Amino acid sequence: MQRDIERILIPQEKIAARVRELAQEIVADHTPPRMMGEPEISIVPILTGAMIFCCDLIRHIPLAMKIGLMTVSSYPGKSLRAQPAQVLGQQLKAEDVKDHHVLLIDDILDSGQTIRLVKPFVESLGAATVKTAVLLRKDRPTAREVAADYVGFEIPDEFVVGYGLDYNNYYRNLPDIVTLTREAIERQ
Ligand code: IMP
Ligand code: MG
């Protein structure tokens, strides 16, 4: 696995520091000064890619929190470009979303179709607000057209893996965000 890495784009220390900053922004935005009652947030990670980002992020968000899962596929198998996004499954409880402040969490904003699919769906369940947090945003027009409330890093329009992101469902466990060698991409 290590020999498949072409270069490290974002090392784990930088990711950890930025994740803490994003969490601070999220906490500040969900804790208005004279709000009545305890602030509460409903987290919806978009699996599988957002799994690791979500786990790290929420441990820096000390608010009352519910979590519901959605699985969406737009890069099935060995795709290097987005295919039509598809909801593969969801375990959202209507009562955890309706009238709640929802935060969608995804690993990367690329073609934007995942967020464009999921956000209206969560809104249709009656969420009070729906915000989005992505760790990475690719430098391409389609990614910039979709509004994201919290963005960790802007990256070049390259295929990356690690920290939850995969190629053919491999490499999610790499702690850094990296690019793959051409040889690794062709071998899988
Ligand atoms: P979008 O729907 O095209 O914005 O892309 C979102 C999803 O595509 C992400 O949640 C990832 O699962 C996948 N994806 C997009 N770019 C990459 C990449 O560079 N590497 C791995 N997965 C990616
Ligand atoms: Mg994904």
Side-chain angles (χ1 to χ4, degrees):
M1 190 170 76
Q2 297 300 321
R3 70 194 168 100
D4 296 342
I5 297 173
E6 182 190 57
R7 74 177 204 283
I8 295 181
L9 206 66
I10 312 173
Q12 53 192 302
E13 300 75 22
K14 256 181 101 171
I15 299 174
R18 185 68 184 125
V19 166
R20 278 174 186 264
E21 285 176 2
L22 289 178
Q24 282 167 6
E25 279 181 49
I26 291 164
V27 172
D29 289 353
H30 289 81
T31 316
R34 271 168 279 124
M35 194 173 163
M36 305 290 282
E38 195 186 352
E40 185 170 321
I41 188 169
S42 285
I43 299 283
V44 179
I46 301 172
L47 303 179
T48 307
M51 178 176 80
I52 295 177
F53 175 39
C54 178
C55 290
D56 284 348
L57 185 73
I58 62 175
R59 282 177 291 175
H60 298 293
I61 303 180
L63 301 177
M65 178 181 291
K66 298 192 179 208
I67 301 179
L69 308 177
M70 283 193 77
T71 304
V72 175
S73 170
S74 57
Y75 267 60
K78 301 178 190 173
S79 321
L80 294 172
R81 276 287 177 206
Q83 313 292 314
Q86 244 187 311
V87 176
L88 298 184
Q90 56 99 359
Q91 299 158 24
L92 301 185
K93 286 201 195 118
E95 74 262 27
D96 292 350
V97 173
K98 192 169 175 3
D99 303 326
H100 281 65
H101 297 289
V102 176
L103 180 67
L104 296 175
I105 300 185
D106 207 357
D107 48 3
I108 187 165
L109 187 49
D110 177 28
S111 74
Q113 55 166 335
T114 303
I115 299 292
R116 277 202 299 263
L117 179 72
V118 171
K119 197 173 172 189
F121 171 74
V122 174
E123 281 166 350
S124 76
L125 296 177
T129 60
V130 183
K131 290 191 170 174
T132 53
V134 294
L135 180 69
L136 308 173
R137 179 162 62 191
K138 280 194 190 171
D139 182 15
R140 53 185 298 216
T142 49
R144 282 188 300 267
E145 278 161 16
V146 177
D149 300 280
Y150 309 97
V151 178
F153 300 93
E154 308 279 350
I155 63 163
D157 186 8
E158 283 185 78
F159 189 78
V160 293
V161 298
Y163 200 74
L165 291 124
D166 74 301
Y167 177 56
N168 200 18
N169 213 10
Y170 287 114
Y171 305 109
R172 295 190 194 277
N173 54 324
L174 288 173
D176 310 303
I177 303 282
V178 307
T179 59
L180 291 175
T181 63
R182 181 188 292 265
E183 197 269 327
I185 289 172
E186 285 167 2
R187 177 177 8 105
Q188 303 284 335

